Amino acid sequence: MNEEQKKELIEKYKAEKAKGVKFWPDIIYKDLLVSFALFILLVGLAIFVGVANEPPADPSDSSYIPRPEWYFLFLFELLKYFPGQIEWIGTTVLPTIAVLALLLLPFYDRSPFRHWRKRRLGVTIMSVVVVGMVALTIMAVATTPPAAEEEVVAATLPEQILLGEELYGVHCVECHGAEGEGGEITGVEGLEGVVLDPINARDVMYTFTDETLFNIIDYGQPDLGMPPFGLGYGGELRRGDIIAVVNFMRYTWDDRAELPQEVAQASAVPALAEGEVPSYEVHIQPMIKRYCVSCHRPGKKNNNYLMRDYNEIMTTGDHAPNVVAGDLGSNTIRMLHREEIEAGGPMPPTKALKPELILIWEKWIAGGAPNTAAEAAGLTLPAEFLPVEATPTAAP
Amino acid sequence: MAERVFTWLDERLGLTAIYNTVLDRKVPKVNWWYTLGSASLFLFVIQAVTGMFLTVYYVPSPDHAYDSVQYIMNGVAFGWLIRGIHHWGASLMVLFVFIHMLRTFFFGAYKYPREVTWLTGVFLLLTTLGMGFTGYLLPWNQRAYWATTVGTEIPGTAPFIGSFIERILRGGTDLSAVTLARFFAVHIWFLPAIILLLIAVHMYLVIRLGISNIPKEGE
């Protein structure tokens, strides 16, 4: 651009300014309006969409599918076109060219024209690039597989304790017992007859920090026979899972920590009203999670009796059925009463269930072993479970 | 009384002069696309303010980063709101700075005499992306960890100096406490300082040169 053109441009700009508006208030007014709208939008997004909860970083869990922030997705997608040996073209050369092209734009585009009709080449290139970026972003979104089943993320302490309780029920109970009481291990391969100290006592709770507990669960205690449970050492638990188990232990057994009330409510087996028939989903499942499923899941010594859901409880096992609706002589009831029968020994092997819990089992089976609470509501208990003074009323 | 206070201050601070040069000036009549710059600035201010509040509780160590973010979300009064705004503000800021760049390009506003404004603008776009990249790691969750693992591998593929750059970014061969400390420092000190400086120059130039007019046919 020569001096004459510059002069002309400045003259024109002065004329435009003379015809124009005042920065204050005209321009400022528009700016404030847009900023205010943006603020409302942001607050709305924060309130109604929020920030998705993610599990904590876990370097050992390499199954996680990495996803960059959305504005880098196009670059991520672009790299797929530069596999192997030529990857560096996509990662280094193209971005460098793009940045330099943008930076140096005013220095190589020296034509004085600003209207798009006289800059068709430049405008076309930029439009293609932008459309390409949008297209790549869309492709990236479309081809990224959804997160392998939405993971349960326990964000708050009560959620963590409940998750920890469930995980403890699955992974720890078979050796350490439902209450962490320890004792002689039965039915666990390789550890048969080993006697464990309780882990719910002050000895453990007062001397082991959360970090120590975490580490023990993470890489086990090989010398004492405890296998590692952390994903990084061949176990099944992610970092978030182990933290949940530690929190469960701390808040349940450490007498210095107070169990949040909502946890106590959520994890307790709900009390039965008089004459109510218990249901699997409300009453039996919480007990199974706590006392049974640690052994009664695939890969354990359990005569093939699995107890992960209602169907398995009713139908699986070498001596199936173990639960017969209406029959108090069912294998399950006899074993809960610590009888030694063909189907197996007393259950749970190390310590009897509390009598009031066994009563719930009896009422459940005698009442017809219903699955859902809705089904249970339509059933009545046999006379022997009703209080003596209450005369069974005839059906109207 | 108020007038006397004003006169006293004006004599010393030159308020009238500032008003005359910054606010009370004529500019060409323009359209709504010209609000993108101020919108970007507004988003930067929002990010700065919410970010400062977040640093009150955030702890940049692998052992505590995740928990401190959980605490902000669940324990701190309105922490979820502050973090929500910061989270979404980051996305919006990248979007607005980018569209602001496109507007400048399509209106040919980067040409004489505004070349330096354009230069600072491109650097502002790059630093904004840098803020997005470094801020993404800070919650120290799975998404953050693995996205940054891949993100730092990308410069690592550059010929000759790639692995060197990757080591600088990570502060070692793998993502670690050092990486988190580096990203945190860059996110809350280095890049904001650079952005502030660039914004100052950018705005000085916008006021000095005036906003470009909408190009007419034949211009």
Side-chain angles (χ1 to χ4, degrees):
Chain A
M1 197 184 270
N2 55 38
E3 290 308 312
E4 215 165 289
Q5 283 169 319
K6 282 184 185 173
K7 209 176 239 172
E8 192 191 341
L9 188 105
I10 289 168
E11 285 308 315
K12 269 190 181 164
Y13 184 66
K14 274 190 179 148
E16 284 290 334
K17 272 212 295 202
K19 282 192 291 179
V21 293
K22 281 280 180 66
F23 182 65
W24 163 262
D26 302 66
I27 300 282
I28 295 274
Y29 160 74
K30 278 179 161 178
D31 287 344
L32 284 179
L33 211 61
V34 170
S35 296
F36 184 67
L38 272 176
F39 184 69
I40 299 292
L41 175 67
L42 276 178
V43 172
L45 283 169
I47 292 177
F48 297 108
V49 186
V51 187
N53 225 329
E54 292 279 332
D58 189 347
S60 58
D61 181 11
S62 54
S63 68
Y64 193 86
I65 302 162
R67 273 154 237 270
E69 189 64 299
W70 65 268
Y71 41 81
F72 289 123
L73 275 178
F74 78 95
L75 196 60
F76 204 57
E77 186 71 12
L78 181 72
L79 295 184
K80 291 187 188 164
Y81 297 94
F82 298 94
Q85 287 290 305
I86 55 166
E87 194 184 20
W88 59 281
I89 297 179
T91 56
T92 319
V93 177
L94 287 187
T96 310
I97 290 177
V99 168
L100 283 180
L102 216 53
L103 266 180
L104 302 178
L105 178 64
F107 305 103
Y108 61 80
D109 173 16
R110 309 186 70 124
S111 95
F113 298 111
R114 300 197 297 125
H115 194 268
W116 62 269
R117 275 186 200 281
K118 300 212 167 176
R119 302 164 47 221
R120 286 181 199 253
L121 179 66
V123 167
T124 311
I125 292 175
M126 185 58 110
S127 307
V128 169
V129 169
V130 172
V131 170
M133 284 167 71
V134 173
L136 283 171
T137 307
I138 293 172
M139 278 160 68
V141 171
T143 54
T144 322
E149 76 195 66
E150 284 308 314
E151 242 182 290
V152 196
V153 185
T156 61
L157 182 64
E159 280 170 23
Q160 283 191 356
I161 297 174
L162 286 172
L163 173 67
E165 180 173 13
E166 198 167 326
L167 291 165
Y168 180 86
V170 174
H171 298 278
C172 317
V173 166
E174 59 178 345
C175 295
H176 290 288
E179 316 290 346
E181 71 273 12
E184 191 180 331
I185 299 175
T186 48
V188 180
E189 228 176 319
L191 291 168
E192 199 70 46
V194 175
V195 178
L196 289 185
D197 289 334
I199 54 171
N200 59 3
R202 280 190 176 182
D203 281 0
V204 172
M205 283 297 128
Y206 279 38
T207 52
F208 288 15
T209 62
D210 285 356
E211 203 186 339
T212 312
L213 290 173
F214 181 96
N215 289 335
I216 292 176
I217 299 171
D218 196 16
Y219 39 80
Q221 295 199 301
D223 297 343
L224 302 173
M226 176 170 167
F229 285 88
L231 210 51
Y233 303 95
E236 292 175 38
L237 300 183
R238 296 157 203 275
R239 285 184 61 86
D241 297 340
I242 302 179
I243 292 170
V245 174
V246 170
N247 275 329
F248 161 72
M249 294 169 66
R250 182 67 68 201
Y251 282 88
T252 319
W253 299 329
D254 191 329
D255 51 20
R256 296 165 303 180
E258 199 176 328
L259 189 67
Q261 214 160 28
E262 47 206 299
V263 178
Q265 272 167 15
S267 67
V269 179
L272 284 172
E274 209 157 89
E276 184 188 353
V277 176
S279 67
Y280 166 74
E281 64 172 12
V282 178
H283 305 94
I284 302 298
Q285 191 182 34
M287 277 192 266
I288 290 179
K289 276 188 175 164
R290 191 67 184 267
Y291 298 101
C292 320
V293 84
S294 187
C295 296
H296 289 281
R297 61 191 172 114
K300 301 285 166 185
K301 219 171 101 187
N302 49 31
N303 287 342
N304 296 318
Y305 186 40
L306 307 181
M307 302 182 76
R308 290 170 305 172
D309 58 40
Y310 181 74
N311 238 352
E312 285 184 349
I313 289 164
M314 303 305 284
T315 58
T316 61
D318 295 342
H319 303 88
N322 289 319
V323 173
V324 180
D327 180 7
L328 282 179
S330 293
N331 292 341
T332 305
I333 297 294
R334 294 177 64 188
M335 287 155 89
L336 283 173
H337 280 299
R338 318 210 71 69
E339 281 182 45
E340 188 79 45
I341 56 174
E342 194 198 338
M347 284 291 153
T350 44
K351 194 179 163 205
L353 276 191
K354 291 192 196 106
E356 61 265 31
L357 295 183
I358 297 182
L359 185 64
I360 294 179
W361 275 89
E362 290 180 340
K363 284 183 176 178
W364 179 59
I365 289 182
N371 183 359
T372 64
E375 285 168 36
L379 299 167
T380 47
L381 278 178
E384 70 251 42
F385 287 104
L386 295 172
V388 197
E389 61 269 34
T391 28
T393 43
Chain B
M1 180 63 194
E3 197 169 327
R4 279 182 58 199
V5 171
F6 178 80
T7 322
W8 189 90
L9 281 173
D10 188 30
E11 200 181 338
R12 285 154 183 84
L13 304 178
L15 296 176
T16 314
I18 294 178
Y19 175 80
N20 288 338
T21 45
V22 176
L23 294 172
D24 188 39
R25 62 192 165 95
K26 294 277 276 194
V27 290
K29 209 167 155 41
V30 290
N31 57 26
W32 286 94
W33 290 105
Y34 282 73
T35 58
L36 286 165
S38 69
S40 306
L41 177 66
F42 174 72
L43 286 168
F44 173 75
V45 172
I46 288 276
Q47 290 306 88
V49 172
T50 51
M52 285 189 274
F53 277 109
L54 290 175
T55 56
V56 174
Y57 294 99
Y58 178 76
V59 183
S61 92
D63 288 342
H64 303 294
Y66 183 81
D67 289 338
S68 66
V69 173
Q70 294 296 344
Y71 181 62
I72 289 170
M73 295 300 282
N74 301 307
V76 180
F78 293 106
W80 59 271
L81 183 65
I82 298 292
R83 177 166 181 236
I85 293 177
H86 198 74
H87 174 90
W88 287 103
S91 282
L92 276 191
M93 187 170 164
V94 171
L95 194 66
F96 271 71
V97 172
F98 186 75
I99 302 177
H100 180 46
M101 184 276 285
L102 288 183
R103 197 278 295 165
T104 312
F105 176 82
F106 285 116
F107 284 13
Y110 55 90
K111 300 197 170 194
Y112 174 84
R114 299 186 180 81
E115 295 97 325
V116 181
T117 324
W118 169 265
L119 269 182
T120 53
V122 174
F123 281 118
L124 277 168
L125 172 63
L126 294 176
T127 41
T128 304
L129 289 175
M131 287 298 273
F133 184 65
T134 49
Y136 205 50
L137 177 68
L138 302 187
W140 203 251
N141 55 33
Q142 281 285 69
R143 183 183 265 267
Y145 184 90
W146 293 104
T148 306
T149 303
V150 175
T152 46
E153 265 166 20
I154 287 178
T157 59
F160 310 118
I161 52 165
S163 57
F164 176 70
I165 297 176
E166 188 179 323
R167 275 215 316 283
I168 295 276
L169 284 173
R170 292 184 176 178
T173 49
D174 292 305
L175 251 64
S176 64
V178 185
T179 324
L180 183 58
R182 281 183 188 198
F183 274 48
F184 178 70
V186 169
H187 188 79
I188 75 157
W189 291 118
F190 291 73
L191 286 179
I194 294 169
I195 290 181
L196 273 178
L197 192 68
L198 286 169
I199 288 179
V201 177
H202 199 75
M203 299 236 308
Y204 164 75
L205 289 171
V206 170
I207 291 166
R208 180 183 143 78
L209 301 168
I211 49 175
S212 68
N213 57 313
I214 302 169
K216 293 199 201 61
E217 185 104 40
E219 268 186 333

